[in-house]
Amino acid sequence: MATETSILTGLEPRSFWGHFEALTRISRPSRQEEPVIEHVRAWADQHGFELQQDAGRNLVIRVPASPGREGAPTVVLQGHLDMVCERDPSSPNDPAEGRIELVRDGEWLTADGTTLGADDGVAIAAMMALVEDESLPHGPLELLMTVAEEVGLEGANALDGTMLSGTILVNLDSEEDGRLTVGCAGSTDTWIHIEAPREPDTAGAVTLTVTVSGGQGGHSGSGIALGRSNAIKVLGRALREALTSVPFRLVSLDGGKSRNAIPRDAGAVVSVAPDREDAFRDAVQKANETIRDAFAKTDSGVSVDIGPGEATAEPWTEAQTQRLLDAVALVPTGPLALSPDFDDLVETSTSLGEAITEGDRLTLHSLSRSSNDSAMPEVIATLDAVARLAGGTLEEKFNYGGWRPNLDSAALAAGKTVYERVFGEPPIVTAVHAGLESAVISGKVDHELDMLSFGPQIEFPHSPDERVSVPTVERFWKLLVGVVDELSRSGGRRA
Ligand SMILES: [Zn+2]
């Protein structure tokens, strides 16, 4: 076991904290996990556990059942080896070089000037501590340690699912204490490409820029039902409303920085006849007022502004301008269906994340999500219809399917039973409208996987403020120990 510094003295469970501290001294940025893979490999060798690695560099460590639990179903415990290595520029510490300086702050454990790597070091440390302790009963276990989770679930996407025989998967990468997560959204990217010919500008035309800013944005999945403005949609709306009274020609329309975020900024370059400039400014200003009123309660900072512009290309004709703005109006964005299982949870949504002008072409990039795979074709059909009506084409990229909540799941039943027994109250059972590695993993194995996810309270992950609540780590540990025991008991009886 690793030696403990004074910071961790007295914390329970000791073996967990020993492994956790050892991980803080090992470099493990995404895609550069070799040092931590070697660390785990040496540990598995030392304990005589069989270790397998796939071409994607993910690890599976096979741990035999405790005596008497051999007939239990095989359970996969899963977490990721990599971490986001962020640091304050002035900090002498650097996780990418294995220098994380632990700091206790009351009930919290954090790192001095860097990310802590509790996301997902707690999972790796918990797996190691659990299987080392011969007093803790469990059935056959497969410890799945993925790589490159933090860069688009790359490791899970490259997983060789034939390495896994387990029928139950417990993901240890949740960040909210007191919750059992039993579902997440799958996702598909689409791009509507519309080619529109340009024509020379009329002499003396005035070039202006119309920009949208000030919205709060947020995660395009978990934040999709908050009523936040989408800067590309707001821009399209302001321009369309202006076009009903003032002719103008669009030169470009761009917005959004990431498919994963609700766009906060968007801008268009337009060309207006000089005698219509004032009318155009008035029309955009009028649109701005109604748009601001529409978002008065949910995103009051959003605003549409006009400034001088520079034409970098010939404008689209008025007819093409109308066609492109119609397409922006038609692209749906927002929640489309609510979860039948959980209050206030979105089941299906789509978010227009990026608008890109390139040459004569406008591209509208959306990310659509659902935990219900069978709901997705209708969303994609809608986007395809928009593309066709606008005379464009749809490019589509399926990322991974959803994890649809199963409230009759044996894993969930075990989680609830143990939670209530240990903590004397029921857990919150929930799902998330975002992607989790579990959904990708279940798509890689040929058999059905009954899945459950939980973890301790981790706040501000991926930032130098990352911290984990120490008492909730102990709760997480007790839940994990109880769940592997419970799952091997029921299976043992059946066997
Ligand atoms: Zn994570």
Side-chain angles (χ1 to χ4, degrees):
M1 193 189 301
T3 53
E4 293 178 13
T5 62
S6 57
I7 292 278
L8 299 173
T9 303
L11 294 191
E12 293 294 335
R14 283 190 54 195
S15 59
F16 166 89
W17 287 112
H19 282 298
F20 185 84
E21 185 176 22
L23 290 171
T24 65
R25 301 203 193 99
I26 300 169
S27 160
R28 52 193 166 109
S30 304
R31 301 180 181 132
Q32 296 166 50
E33 296 91 349
E34 285 319 310
V36 70
I37 287 171
E38 283 318 304
H39 173 75
V40 171
R41 194 188 292 279
W43 169 83
D45 276 354
Q46 183 198 332
H47 291 275
F49 299 138
E50 181 196 334
L51 180 145
Q52 208 182 340
Q53 185 170 29
D54 64 13
R57 299 180 303 118
N58 303 293
L59 303 180
V60 173
I61 297 134
R62 283 172 225 289
V63 179
S66 311
R69 304 285 175 107
E70 294 85 354
T74 299
V75 172
V76 181
L77 300 180
Q78 186 260 320
H80 60 89
L81 290 162
D82 59 317
M83 67 173 281
V84 173
C85 296
E86 284 291 324
R87 56 191 284 270
D88 292 333
S90 60
S91 173
N93 301 315
D94 187 356
E97 293 181 0
R99 278 201 318 279
I100 295 173
E101 176 87 31
L102 295 174
V103 178
R104 279 290 292 282
D105 179 9
E107 291 194 335
W108 296 93
L109 181 71
T110 182
D112 182 13
T114 70
T115 40
L116 172 64
D119 170 17
D120 194 17
V122 291
I124 305 302
M127 289 188 230
M128 295 167 94
L130 176 83
V131 301
E132 273 177 2
D133 188 336
E134 287 175 6
S135 74
L136 302 175
H138 55 76
L141 296 177
E142 291 171 339
L143 311 182
L144 171 58
M145 302 183 184
T146 54
V147 295
E149 188 269 353
E150 302 287 6
V151 283
L153 314 180
E154 253 179 32
N157 270 302
L159 178 71
D160 175 0
T162 63
M163 293 197 298
L164 298 175
S165 67
T167 51
I168 297 171
L169 182 142
V170 182
N171 168 280
L172 307 175
D173 192 21
S174 281
E175 289 161 358
E176 279 182 285
D177 174 58
R179 283 173 185 250
L180 303 180
T181 298
V182 294
C184 78
S187 77
T188 296
D189 281 276
T190 57
W191 294 261
I192 295 172
H193 299 295
I194 308 168
E195 298 284 344
R198 297 171 180 276
E199 279 180 26
D201 211 350
T202 38
V206 179
T207 305
L208 299 171
T209 39
V210 181
T211 54
V212 175
S213 60
Q216 293 174 77
H219 190 274
S220 69
S222 53
I224 197 68
L226 298 175
R228 303 272 164 81
S229 62
N230 177 311
I232 300 167
K233 294 288 284 185
V234 166
L235 178 62
R237 175 177 167 180
L239 293 173
R240 271 172 55 81
E241 289 182 10
L243 195 60
T244 58
S245 57
V246 188
F248 65 87
R249 293 169 64 183
L250 197 55
V251 178
S252 65
L253 192 152
D254 294 275
K257 291 194 176 71
S258 144
R259 61 204 266 281
N260 232 342
I262 296 168
R264 299 173 62 227
D265 297 285
V269 176
V270 302
S271 171
V272 192
D275 60 337
R276 306 307 296 270
E277 182 183 343
D278 288 348
F280 179 78
R281 286 177 179 271
D282 288 348
V284 170
Q285 182 51 37
K286 199 170 147 228
N288 180 37
E289 280 162 26
T290 36
I291 289 165
R292 284 178 58 81
D293 185 56
F295 290 102
K297 289 195 175 184
T298 54
D299 206 2
S300 61
V302 66
S303 100
V304 188
D305 299 286
I306 303 186
E310 204 181 316
T312 50
E314 290 178 340
W316 283 300
T317 61
E318 259 178 66
Q320 299 295 357
T321 296
Q322 183 75 65
R323 179 162 76 103
L324 296 172
L325 293 179
D326 282 350
V328 174
L330 277 172
V331 173
T333 204
L336 299 173
L338 293 176
S339 165
D341 300 310
F342 304 109
D343 289 342
D344 300 325
L345 182 74
V346 175
E347 182 179 72
T348 305
S349 75
T350 185
S351 178
L352 173 57
E354 288 181 295
I356 303 149
T357 300
E358 246 173 353
D360 289 354
R361 182 159 93 165
L362 176 68
T363 296
L364 301 172
H365 179 190
S366 296
L367 182 59
S368 307
R369 310 173 192 261
S370 185
S371 56
N372 179 356
D373 290 345
S374 300
M376 209 56 135
E378 190 185 7
V379 184
I380 305 308
T382 305
L383 292 158
D384 190 35
V386 174
R388 198 165 19 250
L389 286 172
T393 54
L394 189 81
E395 181 187 342
E396 177 185 343
K397 180 176 166 277
F398 168 81
N399 297 313
Y400 47 87
W403 169 14
R404 198 173 185 179
N406 170 15
L407 301 182
D408 299 322
S409 133
L412 173 59
K416 276 164 73 174
T417 300
V418 173
Y419 193 99
E420 293 200 39
R421 189 166 64 216
V422 176
F423 305 123
E425 58 177 7
I428 295 168
V429 178
T430 188
V432 294
H433 192 58
L436 293 176
E437 253 185 326
S438 340
V440 182
I441 294 164
S442 76
K444 298 288 176 184
V445 297
D446 286 337
H447 54 272
E448 283 280 310
L449 266 186
D450 182 4
M451 305 193 289
L452 180 67
S453 175
F454 56 83
Q457 189 73 24
I458 297 174
E459 295 185 344
F460 318 115
H462 307 179
S463 85
D465 297 324
E466 180 184 359
R467 60 184 195 168
V468 63
S469 154
V470 171
T472 68
V473 169
E474 197 171 349
R475 284 162 55 85
F476 159 69
W477 172 258
K478 285 178 175 163
L479 183 60
L480 175 62
V481 165
V483 164
V484 293
D485 178 13
E486 184 73 19
L487 287 171
S488 64
R489 258 187 231 211
S490 49
R493 267 203 303 275
R494 267 202 300 274

